[in-house]
Amino acid sequence: MYTPFEVGLLFLPGACAVTAATIAAGRLSGSVRAFSLIAAGTVLLLISTWAFAGFGPVTGTAYAVFWMCMRNVGIGLSLTPLLNVGMQAVAREMSGHASALLHWVRQVFGGIGVGCFVSYFYQRLEARSRSLQGPGSIPAGSEGGEANPVVYMAGLQDTFLLIVIFLAVAMPILLMLRRKPPSEPCASRGENVHIRS
């Protein structure tokens, strides 16, 4: 068992990884296409989440921390360019409203997503508990139920597999970012161009 302080230390490398990846994505945004950064981050996020789905009670700490860092690197590489692409598609005079709406959507749907996945986790936890311990047993997540590490990890595996499916479905949507924005039409040779003084 880990103390709360030790658990916080285990999350520290992941926090450093997402910070470094976010800074790197911001510096590379001028020389690398946003689609390349988003695609690389999403693929890394998909692979690391798939690795999370294979965690078990005997998974080593170093192995888990490594994949947590890889997952956070994927988040850092994809999130900043994705926000930049969204802001570039909005007119400059509407950028303030778009930024506020974007952050509102992130907060609201981030909370909804966490709630949905936690609810799914407890549903799978109950189903796994009853399948492993029998139909008349007390679910592991209920009051008075015994915390079985195997049952808990099985519920987490099912939850991460669902996240992998969502990420895989979102991958084709990234292909839409490969389209270059239409350039402004230039004046033809025979067209008069009025220049304001």
Side-chain angles (χ1 to χ4, degrees):
M1 296 294 294
Y2 293 97
T3 64
F5 179 75
E6 291 173 343
V7 173
L9 290 179
L10 292 177
F11 280 93
L12 182 59
C16 295
V18 70
T19 302
T22 302
I23 295 175
R27 293 184 177 180
L28 292 174
S29 60
S31 57
V32 181
R33 290 184 57 189
F35 170 77
S36 302
L37 292 174
I38 297 173
T42 306
V43 170
L44 188 56
L45 185 60
L46 180 63
I47 295 174
S48 57
T49 305
W50 175 264
F52 269 47
F55 284 4
V58 295
T59 301
T61 302
Y63 181 80
V65 171
F66 169 78
W67 282 112
M68 181 177 60
C69 292
M70 293 297 101
R71 193 169 188 272
N72 287 356
V73 168
I75 294 174
L77 286 179
S78 58
L79 185 58
T80 301
L82 189 60
L83 294 177
N84 292 338
V85 169
M87 292 300 299
Q88 290 175 0
V90 180
R92 181 175 299 179
E93 58 271 11
M94 298 296 295
S95 60
H97 299 284
S99 178
L101 180 61
L102 186 60
H103 289 289
W104 180 84
V105 169
R106 286 180 57 192
Q107 295 294 329
V108 171
F109 285 93
I112 293 175
V114 171
C116 291
F117 284 120
V118 170
S119 177
Y120 178 77
F121 163 71
Y122 278 105
Q123 290 180 359
R124 296 305 304 161
L125 186 64
E126 182 178 357
R128 290 280 191 169
S129 177
R130 295 190 182 279
S131 64
L132 292 177
Q133 301 177 9
S137 61
I138 301 176
S142 62
E143 185 178 357
E146 184 180 357
N148 189 340
V150 177
V151 175
Y152 267 86
M153 293 308 301
L156 287 175
Q157 290 172 359
D158 294 341
T159 305
F160 280 114
L161 284 176
L162 180 63
I163 297 175
V164 168
I165 294 175
F166 274 97
L167 290 173
V169 171
M171 290 294 291
I173 303 178
L174 296 178
L175 297 177
M176 300 175 59
L177 300 178
R178 300 183 62 181
R179 302 177 182 177
K180 296 182 179 180
S183 57
E184 297 181 358
C186 301
S188 60
R189 293 184 178 180
E191 182 179 356
N192 296 327
V193 180
H194 299 280
I195 302 177
R196 294 182 179 180
S197 56

